[in-house]
Every structure is written in structure tokens, then in C-alpha cells.
Amino acid sequence: MNVLLIGGGGREHALAWKIAQSSLLDELYIAPGNPGTVRHGRNVQLDLDDPKALRRFLLEKRIRIVVVGPEAPLVDGLHDRIAADPQLKEVTVIGPRAQGARLEGSKDFAKEFMFRHNIPTAAHRTFVKGQLQDALDHLDRVNAPYVIKADGLAAGKGVVITNDKKEAARTLREMLQQGRFGEAGERVVIEQHLKGVECSAFLITDGDSFKMLPAAKDYKRIGRGDTGPNTGGMGAVSPVPFADKDFMQKVHDRIAAPTVRGLKKDGIPYSGFIFMGLMNVHGDPYVIEYNVRLGDPETQAILPRLKSDLLDLFEGIATGTLSERHVDVDDRTTVCIVLAADGYPGEYEKGSVISGADMVRDAYVFQAGTAREGDALTTNGGRVMAVTGMGKDLESAIASAYRSAAVISYADKYMRDDIGHDLVKQPAQRGAFR
Ligand code: AMP
Ligand code: GLY
């Protein structure tokens, strides 16, 4: 069958790599893809906002499955537009319709959903424009740290956590009164602060049944020891030692199952992935957020561990037979290290020539912010690529990932040198990796 994959980051390179291994695949197209995805399929330029062009492409290329990597097209209703087109009846979209995508697109919607279905999450109150005084009064009734979230998509920047009540009040004013984050901040959620360690769990569903995928830990901060500003993710480890069998059973029973059941009960058809951002609070999982897609860079850590054919799972979604498919997972550990451009998540240079990416032999290299200039591969984004090492245990996976990451070089290369170290009982030797 022919597949169209939407997106162009490291997550999509990993998806393209995995889909290309399927015996069920005929042609894979990636829109827009990146210089890494061309090894696994054909990169195409496609304007997703032009329904005619999209329809023409899907028909002409006889696409059966559309896999949507990022959330924005889903929140925008891409799935709905395809589903509403009688000529595209044969096309299955991996990713929810706009209604289901609100699990990620609206914090308030997600909170109400969890409340309705008894899914453990931090207590919250929602305030809308015009309720600034109520929101400020609420701050007096709760304890620090204050967790304030813009309701809508804000590119990961819509969350403020602070011990300072004045800063919390200022944030509320900025969001509810001064229009910071625009529409996304016209509705604000104030949450109870949860203390614990975070991890990411994933499931795939056809709306009826679901399968758990491997869990991962993401390293969101730019600096060693989880310091400095938040990023899209600087590394990932799978599996997560503290997310043991007992914990993952709780995730399955208390979160994954009621989430899929809840969607069905609410009449929200859902096909695709659900990413459960979790806090492990003394061994009990709480949902911090839902995403309606896979994570980046978690995908680059979990797909190398997935032994099953991903396209077989997608076919299970297309035919409503996911319950009959199997998810087999490699017991080994993966460690993914993101190679960034110095300055990211702030300003950074583009256009440096990258060398060594082809010399990596015993790890996976997934490209993200790269470009092809003639024969040269150059940097073209904040997160340039990800290197995933695999090993029988965490220590050997860390060693493998860093050994391979060291082979790749470009001006302004930056990576965290401590990915996975917090999870090793005896931290590995730290060096200056550049
Ligand atoms: P979100 O965009 O909702 O994932 O929030 C971004 C980050 O803020 C999360 O990854 C957590 O590290 C942190 N966070 C969000 N909500 C809470 C909470 N209720 N308690 C503690 N930390 C939180
Ligand atoms: N790595 C976090 C995310 O993909 O949202």
C-alpha cells in the first residue's frame, strides 16, 4: 500500500525509517520530509491548506494511509477534511479529527475530559477573559508553586510554573488581559502542582481497542542536570527504569483504558496515537498533558525498540482490527541524544556543514533541522539531528549513543552530555562532548 507521512522533523525521519521496513509498503511519500527521509521514500511539497491539491495528490498516488506526525494539522481539521471527501473514502488517517485533537489543543477540554472519566490528573480551575479578578482571587486560595497554563497551543511556551505569587498574577494579567499568546491564552487553567518524576507513555488506538507502545523519558531542558530553558526535547531514554511493570499496569488500567473508553463514550472517534505525559507521584501515575501524536525525540527512542510492523498496526486501524495485531518490543534499552545548534532554544546559526553523519555504524541517525546544499549536508534548525544508541542495558546504550554522537561534527554543535545519567545508579563518567 502507499503511504503519505506528514511532517519533517526527527520524529518523521524515525517514522519513515520504520514504515519503510514494512513488507506491506509499496510507496512512501513524506511531506515535506527532510534530507534524512529521502532514504526511505520520496519527499514532496504539498500545501495541506489547499484541499484540491491534497485530494489530487492522494488520488493520483493512490494513498491508503496518511500518517500525521505533528499536532497542528490535526487540530486544524486535516482528518475531518479528508473524511468529508467522498472521493477519499479509501484513505485512513492516522491521527484524530479536530474534536479528538482537542485533547492536546485545549488544556481545559483535556482537564474536563479527565474529570468526567475519573482519570488521575492535577486538580484545576479554568478562567476565561473577563474573569481575571476571580483568577487572581484563586491564587490566594492555593499554595505555591503556581502552575498556570494557556488553554490553547502555544508551542510549548504557554506554561508558567512559579513560586512567586506576583509573577503568577502578572502571568494571569498577560494572558487574560493583555492577549499574550493571543487566543490560546484567552482561557487559562490554574493547576495543582504535582511533585514527582515525569515520563511519557504512548498508545495506538482504532477507537475501540488500543495497544501500549514503549514508554520513554524525555529531557526537556537545554542544560546539564535539567537546567535552563525548556526545549522541544534534548534526548530520550526507553524503557524508563522507574516506569516498571507495576507502574505501567497502573498507566494501562487507570489512564490508557479509561481514555480510550472515555473518547468512545463521548462519541469522539479516534484513530492514531495518544501520548500521555505523566507524573509518577510516589508510584502512582497522573496525567500532566495529552498529546495526539508521538513525541519528538521520544519516537527516535521508542521506534527502534518496536519489533512489530508499524504498517500492520496502521492497517489494523484502517480495518478496525487493531485488537488482533501484536506489539512486540525489544528488551534492550535505547538512548537518544539530540544534537542541536548552539543557542537553541534561543537564536542560533544555520548553514554549517555537517560531517560524519554517514560514518555512524552502530547507532541510528535521525535528521531533523538539516538541509542539502549541493553535496553538503548543512544545519537548518535548532534541533539538527538525533542519534539513538541501543544496548543490553542503560549504561551500554548511553555509551553507544555518545560514541556515535561524537562522530558527527559541525560548527556550533551542542548536546547535553548527561542524557540517561540520572537513571543510572552509578552515573557514567561525564566528559565534555561537543
Ligand atoms: P505541559 O505543556 O502541560 O506539558 O507542561 C509543561 C511542563 O510543565 C511539563 O512537562 C511539566 O514539567 C510541567 N508541569 C505541567 N503541569 C504541571 C503540574 N500540574 N505539576 C507539576 N509540573 C507541571
Ligand atoms: N518531547 C515532547 C513532545 O514531543 O511534546
Side-chain angles (χ1 to χ4, degrees):
M1 73 182 107
N2 296 347
V3 176
L4 170 65
L5 168 63
I6 291 170
R11 166 182 51 212
E12 287 76 25
H13 187 176
L15 280 164
W17 164 80
K18 182 68 188 166
I19 291 168
Q21 291 167 35
S22 172
S23 56
L24 301 169
L25 181 74
D26 292 313
E27 295 282 347
L28 172 63
Y29 299 89
I30 310 104
N34 67 40
T37 59
V38 296
R39 295 183 191 190
H40 313 295
R42 272 182 228 182
N43 287 357
V44 292
Q45 293 301 327
L46 201 53
D47 181 359
L48 299 179
D49 294 326
D50 180 348
K52 278 193 194 135
L54 179 64
R55 174 203 285 145
R56 205 178 319 121
F57 182 86
L58 295 174
L59 291 174
E60 205 176 284
K61 305 295 185 198
R62 301 164 150 270
I63 303 290
R64 270 278 319 278
I65 306 255
V66 177
V67 185
V68 187
E71 68 280 8
L74 297 166
V75 174
D76 272 1
L78 176 67
H79 185 151
D80 308 65
R81 291 197 293 279
I82 293 175
D85 191 330
Q87 290 188 57
L88 300 177
K89 275 205 308 285
E90 307 294 315
V91 178
T92 296
V93 181
I94 307 300
R97 297 170 190 236
Q99 200 187 10
R102 292 181 73 202
L103 277 184
E104 176 165 0
S106 166
K107 306 258 186 218
D108 176 47
F109 175 85
K111 286 303 229 181
E112 292 297 324
F113 175 86
M114 288 185 265
F115 184 72
R116 204 160 49 243
H117 300 293
N118 265 315
I119 295 166
T121 185
H124 84 290
R125 285 280 307 272
T126 300
F127 300 92
V128 298
K129 225 177 160 179
Q131 292 183 317
L132 176 63
Q133 196 51 51
D134 296 339
L136 292 171
D137 291 345
H138 185 68
L139 286 185
D140 290 329
R141 289 193 294 270
V142 296
N143 298 322
Y146 307 98
V147 181
I148 299 174
K149 300 184 177 181
D151 177 58
L153 292 182
K157 297 190 174 69
V159 177
V160 172
I161 300 177
T162 177
N163 278 311
D164 178 357
K165 202 191 266 188
K166 284 202 186 107
E167 190 190 346
R170 191 165 60 237
T171 303
L172 288 173
R173 273 192 208 95
E174 282 173 359
M175 288 185 182
L176 288 173
Q177 204 171 43
Q178 293 155 17
R180 181 174 162 204
F181 303 116
E183 245 177 72
E186 284 181 3
R187 195 179 272 268
V188 165
V189 173
I190 303 181
E191 274 187 21
Q192 166 201 13
H193 184 263
L194 298 173
K195 279 182 195 56
V197 274
E198 282 179 63
C199 67
S200 310
F202 300 90
L203 64 81
I204 183 167
T205 180
D206 57 7
D208 276 313
S209 67
F210 70 92
K211 303 278 180 191
M212 295 297 290
L213 298 172
K217 181 181 194 285
D218 172 25
Y219 292 77
K220 289 199 171 77
R221 303 293 196 95
I222 189 71
R224 174 190 295 166
D226 294 329
T227 54
N230 261 320
T231 70
M234 293 303 295
V237 173
S238 178
V240 189
F242 62 78
D244 56 13
K245 219 168 163 192
D246 187 35
F247 180 80
M248 290 311 293
Q249 190 64 45
K250 289 179 187 169
V251 174
H252 178 282
D253 297 349
R254 299 180 188 175
I255 295 170
T259 297
V260 173
R261 225 171 26 233
L263 286 165
K264 200 170 170 192
K265 223 186 218 164
D266 290 349
I268 302 175
Y270 197 107
S271 58
F273 298 102
I274 300 180
F275 166 157
M276 297 158 276
L278 304 174
M279 190 74 89
N280 177 339
V281 184
H282 304 302
D284 289 322
Y286 287 77
V287 178
I288 292 181
E289 62 165 354
Y290 285 113
N291 296 308
V292 297
R293 51 173 173 84
L294 289 177
D296 188 337
E298 289 95 325
T299 305
Q300 296 92 303
I302 68 176
L303 288 188
R305 295 189 59 224
L306 184 66
K307 291 202 276 192
S308 310
D309 181 339
L310 193 54
L311 214 39
D312 178 61
L313 298 176
F314 292 163
E315 197 178 46
I317 290 180
T319 53
T321 56
L322 185 65
S323 62
E324 298 161 20
R325 318 280 161 144
H326 294 285
V327 170
D328 291 323
V329 176
D330 195 315
D331 286 337
R332 286 175 293 172
T333 294
T334 48
V335 170
C336 166
I337 296 154
V338 170
L339 311 189
D342 211 1
Y344 171 81
E347 285 183 23
Y348 54 83
E349 302 275 328
K350 291 181 181 179
S352 304
V353 174
I354 302 167
S355 64
D358 287 330
M359 319 240 284
V360 172
R361 288 287 166 266
D362 54 0
Y364 304 100
V365 176
F366 299 115
Q367 297 189 30
T370 56
R372 196 40 87 192
E373 285 179 35
D375 282 344
L377 187 66
T378 59
T379 62
N380 192 37
R383 291 192 292 171
V384 176
M385 48 178 71
V387 177
T388 301
M390 206 162 189
K392 64 179 191 327
D393 53 25
L394 181 55
E395 288 88 336
S396 56
I398 291 173
S400 158
Y402 276 109
R403 216 169 29 240
S404 293
V407 172
I408 299 170
S409 64
Y410 51 89
D412 306 323
K413 175 180 165 192
Y414 171 81
M415 62 185 168
R416 271 183 64 165
D417 61 9
D418 65 339
I419 302 300
H421 288 195
D422 56 319
L423 302 174
V424 181
K425 285 177 202 99
Q426 202 86 72
Q429 191 81 37
R430 282 177 183 168
F433 295 98
R434 274 191 71 90

